[in-house]
C-alpha cells in the first residue's frame, strides 16, 4: 500500500478487516515498524476521533507524530497553479507539501468539502494537489467526498457483530440536521458497502440523493419505514443535497431515528460516525441503548488507521 484515499487502495476488504480485528489483541506487536520515522497529521478542519485515533495508531507502531492545525497555525495556502500571490494567501500548497515531506515519512491530511464549489469538491482539488506535490505516502483523514478511515472502522465494527447464519441487511438512513453537512461519510460508507456481499439499502427523502459514483447499484428507498424492515444494522447520517449542491431542502416527514422506527428491524444495531446531534438525528433512547455501536465504531478508528499505516510502513521497509 502506497497511499490511502478510498476502498480502491486496498487489495482485499475482507482480509484487511480480519487483520485489523486480530491486531486489536496485541496492538503494539509491530512497534518496530515506525522506529525512527515520523507521521505528520495536517488538519484544515476540526477533528476529535480522527486526530486522536490516528495519533494512537501511529504510537502503537512506534511512529513519532507531528500535528499541524494548518488553518490556525500555518500560513494561508494557495491552491491555484500559476497564481500571482499578492492577496491573502502566503504559501503555495506545492511548497507546503514539499517541505512537510522532508520532515515526515507519511502525511495525513484532512480537507473537507466547502459545499460552495461543487466542481472543486467532487474533483478533490485540495487533496489531489497536496498528494501531487507530496514526496511521501499520503493518507486521507477525511476529504471533500470520502472518509476512508471511518468506513474501514465501520466495516470492522459490522464484522464483529454479524448475525449468525444469515447475510446481514445494512441500511444507511439520512437524518435531520440544523445545518448543511458534507457528503463524505455517506459516500464513503456506500462505496465500502458496495464491496461486500451484504444487502445494502440507502434511504433518504427525495432531493437528498448521493452521488451515483459512490452509491452505484445500491437499493434506494424513499420510504424510511420500508427501508428499515428486517434491518440488522442501521447507520444514521445527515448530508446536504448533492443535486442542489450544499443546500438544505425542507423535509416534512420526521426522519429522526427513534425506538418506534426500529420496531420493524431485526433488533438492529445502531451506528453513527460521531459527533451526533442528540435528539435531532437520533434520540437519546436509541443512542444510549444496548444496541448502539457508536463507541465501538470510535474505538475501531484506531485499528483501522493502524492496519493501514502498518501496510504502508511494510511497503517501505
Amino acid at each position: 500500500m502506497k497511499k490511502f484515499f478510498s476502498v480502491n487502495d486496498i487489495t482485499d476488504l475482507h482480509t484487511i478487516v480480519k487483520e485489523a480485528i486480530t491486531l486489536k489483541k496485541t496492538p503494539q506487536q509491530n512497534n518496530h515498524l515506525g522506529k525512527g520515522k515520523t507521521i505528520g497529521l495536517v488538519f484544515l478542519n476540526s477533528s476529535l476521533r480522527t486526530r486522536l485515533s490516528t495519533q494512537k495508531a501511529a504510537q502503537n507502531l512506534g511512529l513519532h507524530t507531528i500535528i499541524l492545525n494548518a488553518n490556525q497555525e500555518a500560513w494561508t495556502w494557495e491552491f491555484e497553479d500559476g497564481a500571482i500571490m499578492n492577496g491573502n494567501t502566503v504559501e503555495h500548497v506545492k511548497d507546503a507539501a514539499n517541505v512537510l515531506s522532508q520532515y515526515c515519512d507519511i502525511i495525513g491530511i484532512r480537507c473537507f468539502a466547502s459545499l460552495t464549489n461543487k466542481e472543486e469538491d467532487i474533483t478533490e482539488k485540495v487533496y489531489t494537489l497536496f498528494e501531487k506535490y507530496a514526496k511521501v505516502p499520503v493518507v486521507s483523514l477525511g476529504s471533500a467526498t470520502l472518509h476512508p478511515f471511518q468506513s474501514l472502522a465501520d466495516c470492522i465494527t459490522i464484522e464483529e457483530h454479524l448475525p449468525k447464519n444469515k447475510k446481514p441487511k445494512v441500511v444507511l438512513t439520512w437524518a435531520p440536521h440544523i445545518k448543511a453537512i458534507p457528503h463524505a461519510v455517506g459516500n464513503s460508507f456506500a462505496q465500502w458497502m458496495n464491496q461486500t456481499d451484504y444487502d445494502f439499502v440507502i434511504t433518504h427523502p427525495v432531493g437528498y440523493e448521493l452521488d451515483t459514483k459512490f452509491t452505484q447499484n445500491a437499493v434506494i428507498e424513499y420510504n424510511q419505514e420500508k427501508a428499515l424492515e428486517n434491518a440488522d444494522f442501521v447507520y444514521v447520517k445527515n448530508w446536504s443535497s448533492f443535486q442542489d449542491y450544499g443546500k438544505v431542502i425542507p423535509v416534512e416527514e420526521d426522519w429522526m431515528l427513534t425506538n418506534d422506527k426500529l420496531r420493524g428491524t431485526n433488533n438492529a444495531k445502531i451506528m453513527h460516525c460521531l459527533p451526533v446531534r442528540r435528539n435531532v438525528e437520533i434520540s437519546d433512547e436509541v443512542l444510549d441503548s444496548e444496541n448502539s455501536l457508536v463507541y465501538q465504531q470510535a474505538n475501531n478508528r484506531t485499528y483501522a488507521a493502524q492496519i493501514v499505516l502498518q501496510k504502508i510502513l511494510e511497503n517501505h521497509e
Side-chain angles (χ1 to χ4, degrees):
M1 186 180 292
K2 298 180 180 180
K3 64 171 186 173
F4 187 61
F5 174 74
S6 76
V7 71
N8 298 323
D9 293 314
I10 62 175
T11 55
D12 186 288
L13 175 55
H14 182 72
T15 297
I16 201 169
V17 166
K18 289 292 189 182
E19 289 178 347
I21 292 173
T22 300
L23 186 68
K24 293 176 69 173
K25 300 173 184 177
T26 53
Q28 296 185 5
Q29 62 180 317
N30 293 311
N31 58 12
H32 63 283
L33 289 174
K35 184 177 181 181
K37 297 181 179 180
T38 299
I39 184 171
L41 305 179
V42 180
F43 291 90
L44 277 70
N45 303 94
S46 301
S47 176
L48 189 156
R49 278 149 294 277
T50 299
R51 181 188 305 260
L52 298 183
S53 63
T54 309
Q55 187 174 12
K56 182 176 179 181
Q59 290 171 346
N60 284 344
L61 290 165
L63 284 161
H64 296 291
T65 306
I66 297 173
I67 295 178
L68 175 66
N69 298 306
N71 277 352
Q72 293 84 36
E73 301 169 348
W75 303 113
T76 307
W77 287 357
E78 173 62 57
F79 295 98
E80 295 299 327
D81 193 28
I84 299 173
M85 293 174 54
N86 57 1
N88 295 326
T89 56
V90 179
E91 183 162 30
H92 200 282
V93 64
K94 69 170 66 176
D95 302 320
N98 266 284
V99 169
L100 284 164
S101 297
Q102 297 181 62
Y103 304 150
C104 306
D105 300 279
I106 302 173
I107 301 174
I109 182 167
R110 164 167 284 206
C111 45
F112 285 170
S114 67
L115 292 182
T116 57
N117 188 319
K118 186 175 185 178
E119 181 64 21
E120 288 189 358
D121 286 347
I122 65 175
T123 57
E124 292 283 0
K125 179 177 181 179
V126 174
Y127 182 89
T128 300
L129 284 173
F130 190 88
E131 184 182 60
K132 174 183 177 180
Y133 294 119
K135 306 302 182 186
V136 297
V138 176
V139 298
S140 170
L141 305 178
S143 69
T145 64
L146 296 171
H147 199 342
F149 278 142
Q150 180 64 57
S151 297
L152 178 51
D154 297 335
C155 290
I156 295 167
T157 306
I158 291 173
E159 178 69 23
E160 291 177 318
H161 295 86
L162 284 175
K164 295 181 179 179
N165 304 318
K166 72 181 292 284
K167 181 189 294 187
K169 179 180 179 181
V170 181
V171 178
L172 170 63
T173 180
W174 182 90
H177 207 284
I178 65 169
K179 63 179 183 179
I181 298 295
H183 310 92
V185 172
N187 286 342
S188 197
F189 187 70
Q191 184 190 54
W192 287 65
M193 286 297 101
N194 284 329
Q195 295 295 315
T196 72
D197 63 351
Y198 305 157
D199 290 331
F200 179 52
V201 178
I202 304 173
T203 185
H204 53 71
V206 173
Y208 280 97
E209 293 79 9
L210 290 167
D211 189 346
T212 55
K213 174 182 177 181
F214 303 111
T215 59
Q216 296 183 353
N217 296 321
V219 175
I220 309 298
E221 174 56 63
Y222 296 104
N223 184 313
Q224 188 187 38
E225 181 180 357
K226 183 177 179 182
L228 292 175
E229 289 177 1
N230 299 314
D232 297 292
F233 298 89
V234 178
Y235 199 115
V236 184
K237 188 70 181 80
N238 173 266
W239 56 84
S240 54
S241 174
F242 178 72
Q243 186 65 35
D244 192 4
Y245 194 66
K247 304 300 182 184
V248 177
I249 302 172
V251 175
E252 293 183 3
E253 299 85 0
D254 180 12
W255 280 74
M256 182 178 74
L257 194 68
T258 63
N259 276 343
D260 285 341
K261 298 276 188 74
L262 294 170
R263 294 186 188 279
T265 70
N266 185 28
N267 195 31
K269 302 294 186 181
I270 309 305
M271 304 177 70
H272 191 288
C273 62
L274 301 180
V276 60
R277 296 273 181 165
R278 283 176 172 261
N279 302 308
V280 175
E281 297 176 79
I282 314 177
S283 67
D284 278 338
E285 61 185 3
V286 174
L287 274 169
D288 296 330
S289 71
E290 292 183 355
N291 280 6
S292 175
L293 300 181
V294 297
Y295 300 139
Q296 289 93 321
Q297 287 173 264
N299 183 49
N300 281 331
R301 289 295 307 276
T302 296
Y303 307 104
Q306 187 169 338
I307 193 64
V308 168
L309 296 179
Q310 178 178 313
K311 297 291 185 184
I312 291 173
L313 289 169
E314 288 172 345
N315 189 63
H316 288 78
E317 273 193 302

